[in-house]
Short mmCIF file of all heavy atoms in Angstrom, two decimals:
data_model
loop_
_atom_site.label_atom_id
_atom_site.label_comp_id
_atom_site.label_asym_id
_atom_site.label_seq_id
_atom_site.Cartn_x
_atom_site.Cartn_y
_atom_site.Cartn_z
N LEU A 1 0.94 -1.12 0.05
CA LEU A 1 -0.01 0.02 0.03
C LEU A 1 0.87 1.21 0.05
O LEU A 1 1.80 1.33 0.81
CB LEU A 1 -0.90 -0.01 1.21
CG LEU A 1 -1.77 1.23 1.47
CD1 LEU A 1 -2.82 1.31 0.40
CD2 LEU A 1 -2.41 1.20 2.87
N GLN A 2 0.73 2.11 -0.95
CA GLN A 2 1.52 3.34 -1.08
C GLN A 2 0.61 4.53 -0.70
O GLN A 2 -0.57 4.60 -1.11
CB GLN A 2 2.09 3.58 -2.44
CG GLN A 2 3.20 2.70 -2.80
CD GLN A 2 2.75 1.51 -3.68
OE1 GLN A 2 1.60 1.43 -4.09
NE2 GLN A 2 3.62 0.49 -3.82
N VAL A 3 1.13 5.42 0.21
CA VAL A 3 0.43 6.58 0.66
C VAL A 3 1.25 7.82 0.33
O VAL A 3 2.46 7.79 0.65
CB VAL A 3 0.17 6.51 2.16
CG1 VAL A 3 -0.64 7.68 2.67
CG2 VAL A 3 -0.43 5.20 2.56
N LYS A 4 0.64 8.78 -0.35
CA LYS A 4 1.35 10.08 -0.62
C LYS A 4 0.57 11.10 0.29
O LYS A 4 -0.62 11.25 0.19
CB LYS A 4 1.22 10.44 -1.98
CG LYS A 4 2.22 9.74 -2.87
CD LYS A 4 2.21 10.35 -4.26
CE LYS A 4 3.18 9.64 -5.15
NZ LYS A 4 3.20 10.24 -6.55
N ILE A 5 1.36 11.84 1.12
CA ILE A 5 0.83 12.82 1.95
C ILE A 5 1.46 14.11 1.68
O ILE A 5 2.63 14.26 1.75
CB ILE A 5 1.03 12.46 3.47
CG1 ILE A 5 0.56 11.06 3.74
CG2 ILE A 5 0.45 13.50 4.39
CD1 ILE A 5 1.05 10.51 5.04
N ILE A 6 0.62 15.15 1.28
CA ILE A 6 1.16 16.45 0.99
C ILE A 6 1.18 17.17 2.28
O ILE A 6 0.08 17.43 2.92
CB ILE A 6 0.29 17.17 -0.06
CG1 ILE A 6 0.61 16.46 -1.41
CG2 ILE A 6 0.77 18.58 -0.24
CD1 ILE A 6 -0.46 16.08 -2.22
N LEU A 7 2.34 17.57 2.73
CA LEU A 7 2.51 18.25 4.01
C LEU A 7 2.27 19.68 3.88
O LEU A 7 2.52 20.33 2.86
CB LEU A 7 3.94 17.99 4.51
CG LEU A 7 4.28 16.54 4.73
CD1 LEU A 7 5.74 16.35 5.05
CD2 LEU A 7 3.45 15.93 5.89
N PRO A 8 1.72 20.29 4.97
CA PRO A 8 1.39 21.77 4.88
C PRO A 8 2.64 22.55 4.91
O PRO A 8 3.70 22.07 5.41
CB PRO A 8 0.62 22.02 6.20
CG PRO A 8 0.98 20.85 7.09
CD PRO A 8 1.33 19.73 6.23
N GLU A 9 2.62 23.74 4.37
CA GLU A 9 3.83 24.61 4.36
C GLU A 9 4.19 24.93 5.87
O GLU A 9 3.32 25.05 6.66
CB GLU A 9 3.47 25.94 3.59
CG GLU A 9 3.62 25.73 2.12
CD GLU A 9 3.64 27.03 1.38
OE1 GLU A 9 4.10 28.09 1.93
OE2 GLU A 9 3.14 27.04 0.24
N GLY A 10 5.47 25.11 6.00
CA GLY A 10 5.99 25.45 7.28
C GLY A 10 6.39 24.30 8.22
O GLY A 10 6.78 24.53 9.33
N PHE A 11 6.21 23.04 7.72
CA PHE A 11 6.67 21.97 8.55
C PHE A 11 8.16 21.98 8.68
O PHE A 11 8.86 22.35 7.73
CB PHE A 11 6.10 20.65 8.01
CG PHE A 11 6.82 20.15 6.84
CD1 PHE A 11 7.89 19.21 7.03
CD2 PHE A 11 6.49 20.44 5.54
CE1 PHE A 11 8.57 18.71 5.88
CE2 PHE A 11 7.21 20.00 4.39
CZ PHE A 11 8.22 19.10 4.62
N GLU A 12 8.68 21.45 9.80
CA GLU A 12 10.11 21.29 9.97
C GLU A 12 10.46 19.81 9.88
O GLU A 12 9.91 19.04 10.70
CB GLU A 12 10.54 21.89 11.29
CG GLU A 12 10.35 23.38 11.37
CD GLU A 12 10.77 23.90 12.71
OE1 GLU A 12 11.73 23.40 13.33
OE2 GLU A 12 10.12 24.92 13.20
N ARG A 13 11.33 19.44 9.07
CA ARG A 13 11.71 18.00 8.82
C ARG A 13 12.16 17.36 10.17
O ARG A 13 11.81 16.26 10.43
CB ARG A 13 12.80 17.98 7.72
CG ARG A 13 13.64 16.69 7.75
CD ARG A 13 12.75 15.54 7.13
NE ARG A 13 13.46 14.23 7.18
CZ ARG A 13 13.48 13.44 8.14
NH1 ARG A 13 12.80 13.69 9.23
NH2 ARG A 13 14.09 12.24 8.00
N GLU A 14 12.86 18.11 10.98
CA GLU A 14 13.45 17.54 12.23
C GLU A 14 12.29 17.28 13.20
O GLU A 14 12.51 16.42 14.06
CB GLU A 14 14.46 18.54 12.82
CG GLU A 14 15.68 18.75 11.94
CD GLU A 14 15.38 19.81 10.82
OE1 GLU A 14 14.48 20.60 10.96
OE2 GLU A 14 15.98 19.66 9.76
N MET A 15 11.22 18.00 13.17
CA MET A 15 10.16 17.86 14.11
C MET A 15 9.11 16.75 13.66
O MET A 15 8.37 16.25 14.51
CB MET A 15 9.40 19.20 14.25
CG MET A 15 10.23 20.27 14.84
SD MET A 15 10.94 19.94 16.43
CE MET A 15 9.47 19.93 17.40
N LEU A 16 9.15 16.37 12.42
CA LEU A 16 8.12 15.45 11.86
C LEU A 16 8.39 14.07 12.30
O LEU A 16 9.51 13.57 12.30
CB LEU A 16 8.27 15.58 10.34
CG LEU A 16 7.09 15.00 9.55
CD1 LEU A 16 5.78 15.79 9.89
CD2 LEU A 16 7.32 15.16 8.07
N ARG A 17 7.30 13.42 12.75
CA ARG A 17 7.38 12.03 13.19
C ARG A 17 6.16 11.29 12.59
O ARG A 17 5.09 11.79 12.61
CB ARG A 17 7.33 11.82 14.72
CG ARG A 17 8.54 12.40 15.43
CD ARG A 17 8.53 12.16 16.85
NE ARG A 17 8.53 10.74 17.17
CZ ARG A 17 8.09 10.16 18.31
NH1 ARG A 17 7.57 10.96 19.15
NH2 ARG A 17 8.15 8.86 18.52
N LEU A 18 6.46 10.07 12.09
CA LEU A 18 5.43 9.20 11.53
C LEU A 18 5.28 8.00 12.43
O LEU A 18 6.24 7.23 12.62
CB LEU A 18 5.78 8.77 10.09
CG LEU A 18 4.81 7.82 9.43
CD1 LEU A 18 3.49 8.52 9.18
CD2 LEU A 18 5.44 7.33 8.09
N MET A 19 4.10 7.78 12.87
CA MET A 19 3.75 6.63 13.70
C MET A 19 2.83 5.70 12.77
O MET A 19 1.85 6.17 12.21
CB MET A 19 3.07 7.01 14.95
CG MET A 19 3.75 8.16 15.73
SD MET A 19 5.40 7.70 16.21
CE MET A 19 5.06 6.62 17.61
N VAL A 20 3.09 4.42 12.83
CA VAL A 20 2.39 3.49 11.94
C VAL A 20 1.74 2.47 12.88
O VAL A 20 2.28 1.85 13.72
CB VAL A 20 3.35 2.83 10.92
CG1 VAL A 20 2.49 1.83 10.04
CG2 VAL A 20 4.11 3.79 10.17
N ARG A 21 0.36 2.29 12.61
CA ARG A 21 -0.42 1.25 13.27
C ARG A 21 -0.96 0.35 12.15
O ARG A 21 -0.99 0.81 11.00
CB ARG A 21 -1.49 1.88 14.08
CG ARG A 21 -2.12 1.04 15.09
CD ARG A 21 -3.02 1.83 15.97
NE ARG A 21 -4.39 1.89 15.37
CZ ARG A 21 -5.42 2.41 16.08
NH1 ARG A 21 -5.27 2.97 17.22
NH2 ARG A 21 -6.58 2.52 15.49
N GLU A 22 -1.51 -0.79 12.35
CA GLU A 22 -2.00 -1.68 11.32
C GLU A 22 -3.12 -1.10 10.53
O GLU A 22 -3.28 -1.47 9.36
CB GLU A 22 -2.40 -3.04 11.86
CG GLU A 22 -3.54 -3.09 12.78
CD GLU A 22 -3.92 -4.35 13.29
OE1 GLU A 22 -3.13 -5.33 13.10
OE2 GLU A 22 -4.93 -4.52 13.95
N ASP A 23 -3.80 -0.09 11.07
CA ASP A 23 -4.91 0.49 10.36
C ASP A 23 -4.83 2.01 10.16
O ASP A 23 -5.79 2.67 9.54
CB ASP A 23 -6.25 0.15 11.00
CG ASP A 23 -6.33 0.72 12.40
OD1 ASP A 23 -5.30 1.04 13.03
OD2 ASP A 23 -7.52 0.86 12.89
N ARG A 24 -3.77 2.64 10.70
CA ARG A 24 -3.69 4.12 10.64
C ARG A 24 -2.23 4.57 10.56
O ARG A 24 -1.33 3.91 11.00
CB ARG A 24 -4.29 4.72 11.89
CG ARG A 24 -5.78 4.45 12.05
CD ARG A 24 -6.28 5.07 13.32
NE ARG A 24 -7.60 4.53 13.67
CZ ARG A 24 -8.75 4.85 13.04
NH1 ARG A 24 -8.71 5.70 12.06
NH2 ARG A 24 -9.86 4.30 13.39
N LEU A 25 -2.09 5.82 10.11
CA LEU A 25 -0.82 6.52 10.17
C LEU A 25 -1.09 7.74 11.06
O LEU A 25 -2.18 8.35 11.01
CB LEU A 25 -0.35 7.06 8.82
CG LEU A 25 -0.08 6.04 7.75
CD1 LEU A 25 0.34 6.71 6.50
CD2 LEU A 25 0.99 5.04 8.20
N ARG A 26 -0.15 8.18 11.86
CA ARG A 26 -0.29 9.35 12.69
C ARG A 26 1.00 10.24 12.44
O ARG A 26 2.09 9.75 12.58
CB ARG A 26 -0.42 9.06 14.18
CG ARG A 26 -0.71 10.29 14.99
CD ARG A 26 -1.05 10.00 16.40
NE ARG A 26 0.16 9.58 17.11
CZ ARG A 26 0.28 8.75 18.02
NH1 ARG A 26 -0.84 8.05 18.47
NH2 ARG A 26 1.39 8.34 18.60
N LEU A 27 0.79 11.44 11.97
CA LEU A 27 1.85 12.41 11.75
C LEU A 27 1.90 13.35 12.94
O LEU A 27 0.84 14.04 13.34
CB LEU A 27 1.58 13.23 10.50
CG LEU A 27 2.06 12.60 9.25
CD1 LEU A 27 1.50 13.39 8.03
CD2 LEU A 27 3.53 12.46 9.18
N GLU A 28 3.06 13.45 13.59
CA GLU A 28 3.23 14.34 14.67
C GLU A 28 4.24 15.40 14.31
O GLU A 28 5.06 15.19 13.41
CB GLU A 28 3.70 13.57 15.95
CG GLU A 28 2.77 12.54 16.33
CD GLU A 28 3.37 11.68 17.48
OE1 GLU A 28 4.57 11.77 17.81
OE2 GLU A 28 2.60 10.88 18.05
N GLY A 29 4.29 16.54 14.95
CA GLY A 29 5.24 17.61 14.67
C GLY A 29 4.83 18.49 13.49
O GLY A 29 5.72 19.12 12.92
N LEU A 30 3.59 18.60 13.20
CA LEU A 30 3.20 19.46 12.10
C LEU A 30 3.17 20.86 12.64
O LEU A 30 3.14 21.11 13.82
CB LEU A 30 1.77 19.06 11.60
CG LEU A 30 1.71 17.69 10.93
CD1 LEU A 30 0.26 17.26 10.67
CD2 LEU A 30 2.50 17.76 9.64
N PRO A 31 3.04 21.92 11.66
CA PRO A 31 3.00 23.28 12.21
C PRO A 31 1.94 23.56 13.23
O PRO A 31 0.84 22.97 13.08
CB PRO A 31 2.78 24.09 10.89
CG PRO A 31 3.34 23.20 9.81
CD PRO A 31 3.06 21.81 10.32
N GLY A 32 2.30 24.30 14.20
CA GLY A 32 1.32 24.61 15.29
C GLY A 32 1.24 23.47 16.28
O GLY A 32 0.31 23.46 17.07
N GLY A 33 2.15 22.50 16.24
CA GLY A 33 2.10 21.34 17.17
C GLY A 33 0.97 20.40 16.88
O GLY A 33 0.62 19.65 17.74
N LYS A 34 0.47 20.52 15.64
CA LYS A 34 -0.67 19.63 15.30
C LYS A 34 -0.25 18.18 15.06
O LYS A 34 0.90 17.91 14.64
CB LYS A 34 -1.44 20.13 14.10
CG LYS A 34 -2.13 21.44 14.36
CD LYS A 34 -2.90 21.83 13.13
CE LYS A 34 -3.62 23.22 13.41
NZ LYS A 34 -4.37 23.61 12.26
N THR A 35 -1.18 17.28 15.27
CA THR A 35 -1.07 15.86 14.95
C THR A 35 -2.24 15.49 14.16
O THR A 35 -3.41 15.87 14.38
CB THR A 35 -1.04 15.03 16.26
OG1 THR A 35 0.02 15.41 17.08
CG2 THR A 35 -0.98 13.53 16.01
N GLU A 36 -1.95 14.69 13.05
CA GLU A 36 -2.97 14.28 12.18
C GLU A 36 -2.98 12.73 12.06
O GLU A 36 -1.95 12.13 12.08
CB GLU A 36 -2.85 14.86 10.76
CG GLU A 36 -3.02 16.32 10.69
CD GLU A 36 -4.52 16.80 10.97
OE1 GLU A 36 -5.40 15.95 10.79
OE2 GLU A 36 -4.61 17.98 11.31
N THR A 37 -4.16 12.19 11.96
CA THR A 37 -4.30 10.76 11.86
C THR A 37 -4.97 10.38 10.50
O THR A 37 -5.96 11.08 10.18
CB THR A 37 -5.25 10.13 13.01
OG1 THR A 37 -4.59 10.48 14.24
CG2 THR A 37 -5.33 8.63 12.89
N ILE A 38 -4.43 9.42 9.80
CA ILE A 38 -5.01 9.03 8.49
C ILE A 38 -5.33 7.58 8.56
O ILE A 38 -4.51 6.71 8.86
CB ILE A 38 -3.88 9.29 7.40
CG1 ILE A 38 -3.51 10.73 7.33
CG2 ILE A 38 -4.40 8.75 6.05
CD1 ILE A 38 -2.23 11.06 6.59
N LYS A 39 -6.60 7.33 8.32
CA LYS A 39 -7.08 5.93 8.28
C LYS A 39 -6.64 5.28 6.99
O LYS A 39 -6.87 5.79 5.91
CB LYS A 39 -8.62 5.90 8.44
CG LYS A 39 -9.20 4.49 8.56
CD LYS A 39 -10.64 4.59 8.83
CE LYS A 39 -11.32 3.24 9.16
NZ LYS A 39 -11.03 2.20 8.28
N LEU A 40 -6.10 4.03 7.10
CA LEU A 40 -5.63 3.30 5.89
C LEU A 40 -6.79 2.50 5.38
O LEU A 40 -7.64 1.92 6.07
CB LEU A 40 -4.45 2.43 6.26
CG LEU A 40 -3.21 3.19 6.82
CD1 LEU A 40 -2.19 2.14 7.30
CD2 LEU A 40 -2.70 4.09 5.73
N PRO A 41 -6.85 2.30 4.06
CA PRO A 41 -7.88 1.52 3.41
C PRO A 41 -7.69 0.01 3.58
O PRO A 41 -8.67 -0.79 3.39
CB PRO A 41 -7.89 1.96 1.97
CG PRO A 41 -6.46 2.39 1.71
CD PRO A 41 -5.98 2.97 3.02
N LYS A 42 -6.50 -0.42 3.91
CA LYS A 42 -6.18 -1.89 4.08
C LYS A 42 -5.33 -2.03 5.35
O LYS A 42 -4.63 -1.04 5.82
CB LYS A 42 -5.31 -2.42 2.96
CG LYS A 42 -5.99 -2.31 1.61
CD LYS A 42 -7.00 -3.34 1.36
CE LYS A 42 -7.54 -3.20 0.00
NZ LYS A 42 -8.61 -4.10 -0.35
N LEU A 43 -5.34 -3.25 5.95
CA LEU A 43 -4.48 -3.45 7.09
C LEU A 43 -3.05 -3.68 6.60
O LEU A 43 -2.83 -4.26 5.56
CB LEU A 43 -5.01 -4.69 7.82
CG LEU A 43 -6.34 -4.50 8.60
CD1 LEU A 43 -6.74 -5.78 9.23
CD2 LEU A 43 -6.32 -3.33 9.57
N VAL A 44 -2.04 -3.20 7.42
CA VAL A 44 -0.65 -3.31 7.04
C VAL A 44 0.14 -3.95 8.13
O VAL A 44 -0.32 -3.95 9.29
CB VAL A 44 -0.09 -2.00 6.61
CG1 VAL A 44 -0.80 -1.39 5.37
CG2 VAL A 44 -0.11 -0.93 7.76
N LYS A 45 1.43 -4.32 7.84
CA LYS A 45 2.38 -4.67 8.86
C LYS A 45 3.14 -3.38 9.25
O LYS A 45 4.00 -2.96 8.49
CB LYS A 45 3.30 -5.72 8.23
CG LYS A 45 2.64 -6.98 7.91
CD LYS A 45 3.61 -8.03 7.37
CE LYS A 45 3.00 -9.40 7.17
NZ LYS A 45 3.98 -10.36 6.60
#
């Protein structure tokens, strides 16, 4: 499963963290200290 995520302007590469769960992705360290969760269409390892 390939996922392309367009990041908002102003993100800092050093602050960005990607957390992977079998059914979701969670992006931490976005501008404004935001965290976003993306539901995956298939279960993954």
Side-chain angles (χ1 to χ4, degrees):
L1 175 67
Q2 287 98 10
V3 185
K4 281 188 180 179
I5 305 164
I6 290 133
L7 299 172
E9 281 193 30
F11 77 92
E12 294 180 34
R13 163 70 182 94
E14 299 77 28
M15 299 298 293
L16 197 62
R17 291 185 63 205
L18 176 67
M19 310 300 285
V20 183
R21 198 169 88 175
E22 65 181 9
D23 64 337
R24 299 180 193 283
L25 298 178
R26 187 173 70 213
L27 275 171
E28 299 175 352
L30 295 171
K34 292 185 180 179
T35 298
E36 293 292 340
T37 302
I38 299 166
K39 187 174 184 311
L40 298 173
K42 302 282 184 183
L43 295 178
V44 298
K45 294 181 177 182

